[in-house]
Amino acid sequence: MGSSTSPPDPATPKRQFRGIWLATVANLDWPSRPGLTPAAQQAELRGWLDLARRLRCNAVVVQVRPAADALWPSPYEPWSAVLTGGQGGHPGYDPLGFLVTEAHARNLELHAWFNPYRIANHADPGRLVADHPARRNPDWVVAYAGRLYYDPGIPAVRSFVQDAMLDAVTHYDIDAVHWDDYFYPYPVAGQAFADHATFARYGAGFGSVEAWRRHNVDRLVEQMSDRLRAVKPWVRFGISPFGIWRNATTDPLGSRTAGLQSYDAIHADTRHWVREQWVDYVAPQLYWHLGHPAADYAELVRWWSETVSGTTVELIVGQSTYRAGAAGQDPAWQNPAELSRHLHLHRAYPQVRGDLQFSAKDVRADRLGAVSRLVAEHYSRPALAPVAAGRGGTPAPGTAPPPPAVTAAVRTPTGVRLDWLPAPGSTPTAYAVYRLAGTDAADPTMLDDARHLLAAVRATGAGDSYADATAAAGSAYTYLVTALDRQHRESPPGPARVLTAGSDAFSVIVDNDTPGGFTASAAWGTSRWSAGRYGADYRYTTAQPVSDPAWFTVTVPATGNYRVEVWHPAASGYHPGAPHLVQTTTGLVTRPVDQRADGGRWRELGVFPLAAGRRPVVGVSRWAPAGGHIIADAVRLTRVP
């Protein structure tokens, strides 16, 4: 295919956050009811994670601290009642530990979802376990609208809830800390949040209780951001706020909406958190339809896109999947295309990096086929998670690992099995597997979107594999595998592995820019001038009577006979007899190649006996009479019977 390029397909983005909220509070999603056996709870959880994979999601956001309790053995708070039906009851296993293992086995990011201040969905402290922190510290507690909350204005409370959440960060390999929109409670008409004594004690210097409350929430966000970075800087911090910050009629910086203002109602200055870059991502709950008279979805996407612009904060949109096809919703939600239309709109806003569906049971219900339609139109291919930029512009630790080496591509009764090894000394988190039709697929832009992405699979720490069940029997394919670190940085692909039509013979391609696969001195320049090149560029030099070959290094899997082919662009000013060298089991063999013609395709040098192992196998020499540039571009080795 040479060097032709094609623009990325917006329908198959290579990078896109795709997540599902899995709520545990009140057993909304999981466990389906309290008191299930450990085996039943685990089976349900596996089912949810399998659903996420089937829908080609790459993340789950699971509520692990629904109400001042825990889904892990916390030294700070009791076991959650959603597990056993009784607060403090041991569930017989470690749910968070199990969740981390199972999510990562499916290469799903695990965002641990915490609610900072909610204590209980009732107002009776006596129903809490005797050693509950809220009972040990009754002055921390405010009863409001039939529920119990920790008082956000007390510094000791802010410190405690952070300690409780960071315990999970410290002891488990989670990928992100996630908060929803509950800070100060949503207002209820005729009721006041009883924190005026706290304001009198801690509110000096503030002109109003509202400004002081916003300060309290700001401090919680900023402190958690700093502490999280100090404990595990690679763990991301995301918040999912109410979708409206302020209306433009109240504040010119606000959105053209007429709804509840989170800045004023629950004292959450979400715009400030984004502009200060205290968070890695923001996932506003844009739970309105396109054209809503008070809160138009399109207007809110515009506003949030502008809000994150110029920051490192990713914008992920919280989707009201629960509305689609549900009784009592606006007529717009009876249109099975409404959710999909949201994602079509996102294509005009590059700041939108993905979506988060609320909640899991509604995703599974798929009323009106709305979720199936969204998946068919927007999740038709897998996608890698966006690269984590590093909070506040600070580079996240680590770099992309070096590329892996594919050790086998074997046809099986059900498709093709690929095996590979990480580069020596590297520890990738995951791998991306690509498949291109044919054996001459060299266009690097083919990896710019997900059209050729088969899967992203979790690294095991040793040899890894992937079963391509969609490979057609007898078809020719080129497979590429890249390595990813935990920030989702991607290596260049390792040497291509080729399956020729009707054969499972070993075949590998090494380009001049294959990491670790090509070496040349400074006398070899780099060019993109010729259109018939393989990949992005090629190397060139002048003929000189010096020993200065460029070498292509190949891992030969077994001693045997191999067909050796070379690829080069062609031009009248190239050399008529460029010397090509092959290291065979019987010595060095030289073959001249006329590079003035027949470029942009594979040209056979011959079949040669090669020894097993990794070494420079094919070289292009400069030792030739004057006569034009000598080109080194790509080689292909194929084992023959």
Side-chain angles (χ1 to χ4, degrees):
M1 295 185 185
S3 60
S4 63
T5 61
S6 57
D9 180 3
T12 56
K14 180 172 177 174
R15 301 277 185 176
Q16 186 178 47
F17 184 94
R18 301 173 181 173
I20 297 174
W21 269 299
L22 187 68
T24 60
V25 65
N27 297 98
L28 183 64
D29 292 319
W30 176 80
S32 60
R33 59 180 175 83
L36 293 176
T37 66
Q41 290 186 19
Q42 292 170 359
E44 284 190 352
L45 187 54
R46 288 191 184 102
W48 288 120
L49 300 178
D50 288 342
L51 173 66
R53 283 289 293 180
R54 286 197 303 274
L55 299 181
R56 302 187 187 93
C57 292
N58 47 36
V60 287
V61 181
V62 184
Q63 198 171 31
V64 299
R65 184 180 183 264
D69 51 17
L71 271 70
W72 74 96
S74 169
Y76 296 93
E77 295 175 312
W79 284 105
S80 177
V82 304
L83 298 169
T84 62
Q87 191 175 68
H90 196 295
Y93 74 111
D94 180 352
L96 181 53
F98 180 81
L99 174 60
V100 169
T101 298
E102 293 292 323
H104 286 172
R106 293 160 177 79
N107 202 40
L108 293 166
E109 279 198 335
L110 174 61
H111 294 224
W113 172 12
F114 305 87
N115 187 290
Y117 290 127
R118 180 170 58 208
I119 297 174
N121 287 328
H122 59 76
D124 181 6
R127 291 172 57 184
L128 304 175
V129 292
D131 62 346
H132 195 289
R135 294 187 67 175
R136 296 199 309 267
N137 302 277
D139 56 320
W140 287 5
V141 180
V142 177
Y144 179 77
R147 297 180 178 182
L148 298 176
Y149 299 90
Y150 283 126
D151 187 342
I154 300 175
V157 165
R158 292 199 296 272
S159 178
F160 171 80
V161 297
Q162 291 173 50
D163 290 344
M165 292 182 281
L166 285 167
D167 181 69
V169 176
T170 301
H171 293 101
Y172 297 88
D173 186 23
I174 66 174
D175 298 289
V177 166
H178 181 96
W179 293 352
D180 54 16
D181 56 326
Y182 287 96
F183 298 99
Y184 281 88
Y186 281 87
V188 176
Q191 300 196 40
F193 191 77
D195 63 347
H196 287 78
T198 311
F199 176 52
R201 182 176 181 184
Y202 297 107
F206 291 92
S208 68
V209 69
E210 291 80 14
W212 169 73
R213 287 172 176 171
R214 276 189 294 276
H215 167 80
N216 296 334
V217 181
D218 285 351
R219 294 290 70 74
L220 178 74
V221 175
E222 182 182 21
Q223 290 167 4
M224 189 67 176
S225 178
D226 290 342
R227 293 183 67 182
L228 184 58
R229 185 183 297 142
V231 172
K232 287 185 178 179
W234 59 88
V235 174
R236 301 165 72 208
F237 185 25
I239 296 180
S240 177
F242 183 75
I244 299 173
W245 173 69
R246 299 193 95 185
N247 301 313
T249 52
T250 302
D251 189 324
L253 294 175
S255 52
R256 297 187 292 263
T257 51
L260 179 143
Q261 303 174 117
S262 61
Y263 177 94
D264 304 276
I266 58 174
H267 315 296
D269 192 354
T270 52
R271 183 180 184 277
H272 184 56
W273 309 339
V274 170
R275 302 308 297 179
E276 291 295 326
Q277 302 183 116
W278 291 337
V279 294
D280 294 296
Y281 69 84
V282 62
Q285 299 171 24
L286 304 191
Y287 290 174
W288 299 273
H289 59 77
L290 284 160
H292 190 285
D296 185 356
Y297 182 87
E299 163 60 14
L300 286 164
V301 169
R302 180 204 64 79
W303 186 87
W304 281 101
S305 295
E306 290 185 359
T307 297
V308 302
S309 293
T311 75
T312 60
V313 179
E314 292 177 5
L315 173 57
I316 298 166
V317 177
Q319 298 289 349
S320 55
T321 318
Y322 70 93
R323 293 189 187 273
Q329 297 293 334
D330 288 341
W333 291 106
Q334 303 309 316
N335 182 347
E338 179 65 26
L339 281 175
S340 184
R341 291 172 64 206
H342 292 188
L343 272 67
H344 279 294
L345 174 70
H346 295 175
R347 296 180 188 177
Y349 293 94
Q351 299 91 338
V352 179
R353 305 304 302 278
D355 296 88
L356 192 48
Q357 310 291 331
F358 186 83
S359 70
K361 68 177 182 181
D362 301 291
V363 171
R364 184 171 63 185
D366 192 19
R367 291 181 296 272
L368 305 177
V371 172
S372 294
R373 181 163 183 162
L374 182 150
V375 170
E377 295 183 0
H378 302 283
Y379 295 177
S380 63
R381 304 298 306 162
L384 307 181
V387 175
R391 202 172 316 144
T394 304
T399 58
V406 180
T407 57
V410 180
R411 295 191 191 276
T412 70
T414 57
V416 172
R417 176 186 170 90
L418 296 175
D419 298 292
W420 62 85
L421 291 170
S426 70
T427 55
T429 299
Y431 299 96
V433 182
Y434 300 87
R435 186 189 72 198
L436 290 74
T439 60
D440 293 341
D443 180 0
T445 66
M446 286 184 164
L447 306 190
D448 289 348
D449 58 32
R451 279 175 287 185
H452 304 287
L453 178 63
L454 285 179
V457 298
R458 199 76 175 183
T460 64
D464 288 278
S465 63
Y466 176 75
D468 178 12
T470 64
S475 296
Y477 294 117
T478 297
Y479 287 95
L480 298 166
V481 181
T482 62
L484 300 138
D485 71 359
R486 68 176 307 135
Q487 301 295 325
H488 312 298
R489 297 180 182 90
E490 185 179 23
S491 77
R497 179 56 62 90
V498 175
L499 279 179
T500 56
S503 170
D504 63 355
F506 168 87
S507 186
V508 65
I509 296 171
V510 182
D511 194 8
N512 68 278
D513 62 1
T514 297
F518 181 83
T519 54
S521 73
W524 290 80
T526 302
S527 178
R528 297 172 176 262
W529 179 77
S530 290
R533 64 185 180 272
Y534 188 101
D537 52 36
Y538 56 92
R539 307 297 290 272
Y540 71 95
T541 191
T542 56
Q544 297 285 340
V546 295
S547 179
D548 184 24
W551 284 102
F552 293 88
T553 296
V554 183
T555 301
V556 178
T559 299
N561 294 322
Y562 293 81
R563 180 181 299 107
V564 177
E565 299 165 283
V566 297
W567 183 296
H568 63 84
S572 59
Y574 291 171
H575 205 280
H580 283 61
L581 315 175
V582 182
Q583 294 274 18
T584 75
T585 56
T586 58
L588 192 66
V589 175
T590 303
R591 292 286 188 271
V593 174
D594 184 352
Q595 295 185 326
R596 297 171 300 180
D598 294 329
R601 66 181 182 84
W602 291 111
R603 299 183 64 183
E604 184 174 338
L605 297 184
V607 176
F608 305 92
L610 304 179
R614 182 170 178 80
R615 66 178 60 81
V617 174
V618 181
V620 185
S621 176
R622 301 179 64 196
W623 201 306
H629 284 114
I630 295 174
I631 307 300
D633 194 353
V635 302
R636 181 168 71 182
L637 269 65
T638 303
R639 188 170 185 179
V640 298

